[in-house]
Amino acid sequence: AESKLIYQKPGNTLTIFDLTKESSVLLEQISEYAVAKNNQHLVLKRVENEKAALLITDANGKLQQEIPNLLSWKMDPTQSKVACVTQEADHFTVVIIALDKKLRKTTLFKNATTLRQLEWNATGTTLAFLSPSTETIVKNARGAVYAYDTQMQKLATLYLS
């Protein structure tokens, strides 16, 4: 059985110590991290030149997937999925990545309005996020809450009145 210790130092360096093999890996520019279910993956936020990216690595820190232009991210309570908001030019996208062997990526939403406040429910089956009001859409005068059901793979919109 493997035994690992993760240590984050000030200055945004993350060290993964392999206590079994007595070795270590140093990752630079890592400002936040989370450990996925069964310690299968690490989810890391890297900030380089004021640009953020979400990195998904194996337990040894080897890169498996990178999502650039990151604004925010949140792992679900079951530690089996991670959601993130990215921004490219004036387009915002919400993506969910399954933290399994395939690291399947699902794009939920693409919009020209700012998206924020990712929240998972306690069981990790629903992701909610917020969109502020849009002057061009009458029914969205006060903003909207979006809820994505990961089991039904359906996105519902609730316009705030």
Side-chain angles (χ1 to χ4, degrees):
E2 287 189 354
S3 184
K4 299 224 186 321
L5 171 80
I6 298 171
Y7 174 64
Q8 186 159 23
K9 288 192 282 201
N12 292 344
T13 59
L14 189 84
T15 307
I16 304 165
F17 294 99
D18 188 326
L19 304 176
T20 317
K21 296 177 184 158
E22 296 183 10
S23 61
S24 68
V25 175
L26 180 75
L27 302 173
E28 305 271 0
Q29 312 299 331
I30 304 301
S31 61
E32 298 168 17
Y33 78 95
V35 181
K37 194 167 131 182
N38 303 328
N39 303 326
Q40 201 174 353
H41 299 284
L42 295 175
V43 181
L44 313 163
K45 179 184 175 183
R46 184 187 67 206
V47 180
E48 233 169 13
N49 306 325
E50 293 181 32
K51 283 190 191 290
L54 191 73
L55 310 180
I56 298 173
T57 72
D58 66 10
N60 300 311
K62 186 171 176 254
L63 185 65
Q64 295 181 316
Q65 197 169 119
E66 179 173 348
I67 304 209
N69 309 310
L70 180 75
L71 287 181
S72 62
W73 69 283
K74 193 160 203 170
M75 191 183 283
D76 81 310
T78 67
Q79 298 171 299
S80 60
K81 296 179 277 303
V82 64
C84 64
V85 178
T86 61
Q87 179 183 5
E88 217 165 330
D90 63 347
H91 272 74
F92 296 85
T93 307
V94 178
V95 172
I96 291 180
I97 300 142
L99 297 172
D100 53 19
K101 281 185 173 65
K102 291 185 180 143
L103 294 175
R104 194 177 59 257
K105 196 165 114 182
T106 308
T107 301
L108 307 188
F109 197 79
K110 221 176 184 140
N111 202 325
T113 58
T114 316
L115 298 169
R116 53 178 171 255
Q117 223 169 322
L118 293 167
E119 289 298 333
W120 286 99
N121 69 341
T123 53
T125 53
T126 303
L127 173 74
F129 50 96
L130 201 61
S131 164
S133 59
T134 321
E135 287 169 26
T136 51
I137 304 168
V138 178
K139 61 183 173 181
N140 195 20
R142 297 180 64 93
V145 174
Y146 298 93
Y148 180 76
D149 184 322
T150 60
Q151 291 167 320
M152 308 279 270
Q153 298 184 345
K154 277 181 79 172
L155 184 67
T157 309
L158 172 70
Y159 291 102
L160 306 174
S161 52

